[in-house]
Amino acid sequence: MEFDKSLLDSFIPSLSSVVVLSSYLGYLAIAGLVLPGKAVPGAVLSDGSRLHYRCNGLLSLVLLLVLTGTGVYLGWISPTVIADKGIELLSATLLFSVLVSVILYIAGTISRHTSASLKPHITGKFIDDWWFGIQLNPHFMGIDLKFYFVRAGMMAWLFINLSILSKTYLAGTANLSVFLYQFFCAIYVIDYFYHEEFMTSTWDIIAERLGFMLVFGDLVFIPFTFSIQGWWLLKNQVELPSAAIIANCIIFITGYLVFRGANKQKHIFKKNPKALIWGKPPKLVGGKLLASGYWGVARHCNYLGDLMLALSFSLPCGASSVIPYFYPIYLFILLIWRERRDEARCSQKYKEIWAEYCKLVPWRIFPYVY
């Protein structure tokens, strides 16, 4: 069996791809430190301490869009540079993720910190410690790496899409399906950064340690697999009937309302347990668990919204191939696994209060189904 040498060579990061990646990550590091932003207190950790996050992701995104747009206008940057170097950037980012994960592992094993955010949790099993991480919130030169990596991944997804859009437009294959996918993803990413402070109360930030799983997920998996639909539409023309377009828009809007609404309710509740939910005083279980609003419909209603959004990103690709549906299929499997893990942790943490909440809200993700 003969291999395509040019394809194999494209997996080897070129100097230009390393420069693009380094410039991007360097910009985000500097912008995160110097640009103004709302200081948001994180969740209270096990030792009573709490981290503070500067939420200036939206400003960082807007400034980078302006700088990139100016560079394209002046002819300094090709609008298709990311799409042209897609595989090279993928391999460069993967190697960077592996390197960072090894450094995190070494730093964690030699750490003597006792604070909840930096205290090492070592199992003694290399794979587990490298994969899941050792420290909860490692920092580097004042940068919270966990918060930084997820910001980098979400923003990279948008820029990959915009570069693919430029390539599609220049190829003359841009149509309504392309614009629907691009519009939905852009709204999702911009909304993420507009509500970036909500990220500070998510499970990844408050409970997951930083290891290869999160580093790879943020820097590689999010931007390079969530954009598969854009790559597919670059090579495949899809003409959707009006009914399919309308249905796609309804699924996106409904998914957005559920996803954003559920996360907003959770965030507000954690900041102020007495805040009204859907115009009424919140219903609590054991004085700790919210059973009102979306959280009275299903125990992980935000997952339902996320799945509907993921589906809406793929529907513009039609039904001729399963490839564009990788993201919603993967996300479905991931969220079922994560929901099971969350349930086990919550049962252990809240004990009889969680059992009472499960009786009150029997549905896990899909109301009246699961």
Side-chain angles (χ1 to χ4, degrees):
M1 181 178 180
E2 295 184 358
F3 291 94
D4 187 338
K5 187 176 184 302
S6 62
L7 179 61
L8 186 62
D9 289 343
S10 65
F11 279 96
I12 302 175
S14 64
L15 177 60
S16 57
S17 66
V18 173
V19 170
V20 170
L21 178 61
S22 301
S23 300
Y24 172 67
L25 295 176
Y27 164 81
L28 284 184
I30 296 171
L33 289 172
V34 304
L35 292 181
K38 182 179 179 181
V40 178
V44 177
L45 301 177
S46 59
D47 61 356
S49 65
R50 64 196 311 173
L51 301 176
H52 287 75
Y53 300 89
R54 181 182 293 185
C55 293
N56 56 9
L58 184 60
L59 181 57
S60 300
L61 172 60
V62 171
L63 179 58
L64 186 55
L65 285 170
V66 171
L67 292 174
T68 305
T70 302
V72 170
Y73 177 77
L74 295 175
W76 297 345
I77 304 172
S78 168
T80 64
V81 62
I82 299 175
D84 292 338
K85 298 182 179 299
I87 296 180
E88 292 180 22
L89 285 169
L90 169 61
S91 57
T93 309
L94 175 59
L95 290 174
F96 176 77
S97 300
V98 173
L99 176 62
V100 168
S101 302
V102 171
I103 294 174
L104 287 171
Y105 172 80
I106 295 173
T109 56
I110 64 177
S111 173
R112 296 296 179 266
H113 285 280
T114 58
S115 63
S117 63
L118 296 174
K119 182 179 179 180
H121 298 266
I122 303 174
T123 66
K125 301 176 182 178
F126 170 74
I127 295 299
D128 284 354
D129 292 337
W130 173 74
W131 180 271
F132 292 107
I134 292 177
Q135 295 175 301
L136 184 63
N137 297 102
H139 285 64
F140 177 72
M141 298 180 66
I143 300 172
D144 184 293
L145 292 178
K146 192 190 295 184
F147 201 64
Y148 169 76
F149 287 146
V150 70
R151 175 183 287 183
M154 290 296 293
M155 208 174 291
W157 177 20
L158 178 61
F159 277 90
I160 290 174
N161 274 351
L162 290 177
S163 188
I164 294 173
L165 176 60
S166 298
K167 200 173 183 69
T168 306
Y169 177 78
L170 292 174
T173 57
N175 58 14
L176 185 56
S177 294
V178 171
F179 288 116
L180 269 181
Y181 163 72
Q182 292 284 347
F183 177 74
F184 290 159
C185 291
I187 290 296
Y188 182 86
V189 174
I190 292 171
D191 175 78
Y192 169 86
F193 285 110
Y194 182 79
H195 295 99
E196 190 176 32
E197 67 175 279
F198 294 175
M199 185 65 190
T200 62
S201 59
T202 60
W203 187 262
D204 284 354
I205 294 295
I206 65 177
E208 294 282 14
R209 296 188 295 276
L210 184 61
F212 181 75
M213 182 181 73
L214 284 187
V215 176
F216 172 83
D218 291 339
L219 294 182
V220 180
F221 201 86
I222 288 177
F224 290 100
T225 64
F226 289 13
S227 55
I228 285 176
Q229 301 94 321
W231 290 107
W232 196 86
L233 287 170
L234 177 63
K235 301 295 184 181
N236 298 270
Q237 286 277 66
V238 177
E239 298 293 340
L240 296 175
S242 298
I245 294 172
I246 294 172
N248 198 171
C249 291
I250 291 174
I251 292 173
F252 172 78
I253 294 171
T254 304
Y256 171 79
L257 291 175
V258 174
F259 175 76
R260 177 53 60 215
N263 284 329
K264 185 176 182 178
Q265 287 177 354
K266 178 179 66 173
H267 183 76
I268 291 175
F269 172 71
K270 288 186 176 181
K271 298 296 181 183
N272 179 14
K274 295 183 180 180
L276 299 181
I277 302 293
W278 285 349
K280 299 178 181 179
K283 184 175 183 180
L284 306 182
V285 177
K288 296 181 178 181
L289 301 179
L290 177 64
S292 294
Y294 290 106
W295 301 97
V297 177
R299 301 199 293 272
H300 304 274
C301 209
N302 55 331
Y303 290 175
L304 172 61
D306 212 3
L307 285 168
M308 294 180 71
L309 286 169
L311 180 61
S312 75
F313 299 155
S314 298
L315 288 175
C317 299
S320 64
S321 173
V322 72
I323 293 175
Y325 290 85
F326 171 81
Y327 173 33
I329 292 172
Y330 154 79
L331 189 65
F332 176 80
I333 296 171
L334 172 69
L335 292 183
I336 293 295
W337 170 76
R338 175 168 283 192
E339 171 266 321
R340 291 286 177 167
R341 191 176 63 159
D342 292 350
E343 293 271 326
R345 288 181 173 179
C346 289
S347 178
Q348 183 179 21
K349 180 178 180 180
Y350 296 108
K351 297 181 173 58
E352 65 276 359
I353 297 177
W354 183 254
E356 182 182 350
Y357 176 58
C358 291
K359 290 181 180 178
L360 185 64
V361 186
W363 308 111
R364 295 170 180 260
I365 298 177
F366 304 96
Y368 306 102
V369 177
Y370 173 74

